[in-house]
Amino acid sequence: MKTREESLNLLHRYIKNDRMINHCLASEVVMRALARRLGKEEELWGLAGLLHDLDVEITNADPKVHALKTAEILKEENYPDEMIDAVRMHNEEATGMERYTEFQHALAAGETITGLIVATTLVYPDKKIASVKAKSVVKRMTEKAFAASVRRDHILECEKIGIPLNEFAELSINAMKEIADQIGL
């Protein structure tokens, strides 16, 4: 398997937008935390989080094709099939199939909650993730107008992998706090 350094180089080759890079870094740390919590391979899950959106600038995030090009790139780069599958399936719309594996559900939930956490952080007076509480993120789940583009149904897939929403929010916030300076929160 590729190293994190090789994967970071790949990320920077395909993604130039700093906010998108920060999203990928946040997704990586959340996926690593989920892997530890579930007893899965941390490096594999972390790299899936890091690289899941490689094609977002190429495809303009078109939901009909987003993630399919990433899967091709990862295959060419010799990443593991299990990781490629989870990355491809984080956007069900492009595949026409429903997620069914733990890895697929984890990536969909893990990468999506990062957006809700960032949005919640930015409405706090200090705009620091250190101030964010899980109950605030969970409360925002019910506010459809808040961060309206965040797919709540994807976040709720945490329950399909046996992690209640409150615990999932706490785990994700704590993971993102580890890299707060790096992602500007």
Side-chain angles (χ1 to χ4, degrees):
M1 184 153 78
K2 302 281 185 174
T3 66
R4 182 173 188 275
E5 185 176 338
E6 290 170 313
S7 299
L8 273 173
N9 289 336
L10 186 64
L11 178 73
H12 288 286
R13 189 177 335 148
Y14 284 93
I15 299 179
K16 304 303 177 202
N17 181 290
D18 288 339
R19 286 179 56 210
M20 184 55 63
I21 289 170
N22 289 346
H23 164 68
C24 292
L25 293 169
S27 298
E28 176 190 18
V29 295
V30 169
M31 287 300 292
R32 287 179 182 280
L34 282 171
R36 286 190 300 272
R37 164 67 172 74
L38 297 168
K40 302 298 177 182
E41 190 179 336
E42 185 176 334
E43 193 67 11
L44 178 70
W45 282 41
L47 294 182
L50 183 67
L51 299 175
H52 76 282
D53 275 344
L54 270 188
D55 69 4
V56 75
E57 292 178 4
I58 298 168
T59 65
N60 292 317
D62 179 347
K64 291 179 176 32
V65 294
H66 169 55
L68 300 180
K69 182 65 178 167
T70 298
E72 290 175 20
I73 294 166
L74 295 176
K75 186 118 185 112
E76 289 169 12
E77 295 287 334
N78 295 311
Y79 281 88
D81 290 338
E82 179 186 15
M83 178 181 149
I84 295 169
D85 174 66
V87 167
R88 186 178 67 253
M89 290 300 294
H90 94 272
N91 177 22
E92 291 175 307
E93 190 173 334
T95 67
M97 301 176 353
E98 290 186 19
R99 286 183 280 277
Y100 60 92
T101 70
E102 189 176 44
F103 198 176
Q104 292 169 359
H105 291 302
L107 182 56
E111 72 95 7
T112 305
I113 199 168
T114 65
L116 190 60
I117 292 168
V118 169
T120 302
T121 302
L122 295 177
V123 298
Y124 273 60
D126 65 359
K127 298 183 180 355
K128 296 292 182 194
I129 196 169
S131 301
V132 176
K133 305 287 184 255
K135 67 180 180 180
S136 296
V137 172
V138 171
K139 179 182 169 216
R140 299 289 183 180
M141 286 282 291
T142 62
E143 299 173 13
K144 301 298 182 210
F146 181 81
S149 65
V150 174
R151 298 279 310 265
R152 271 72 169 167
D153 56 328
H154 290 189
I155 293 172
L156 289 172
E157 289 186 46
C158 65
E159 296 174 349
K160 292 183 177 184
I161 60 173
I163 303 176
L165 180 58
N166 287 335
E167 181 185 343
F168 180 56
E170 186 77 33
L171 175 144
S172 300
I173 292 165
N174 288 338
M176 290 174 66
K177 283 179 181 177
E178 295 174 16
I179 61 163
D181 290 340
Q182 192 176 355
I183 60 174
L185 296 177

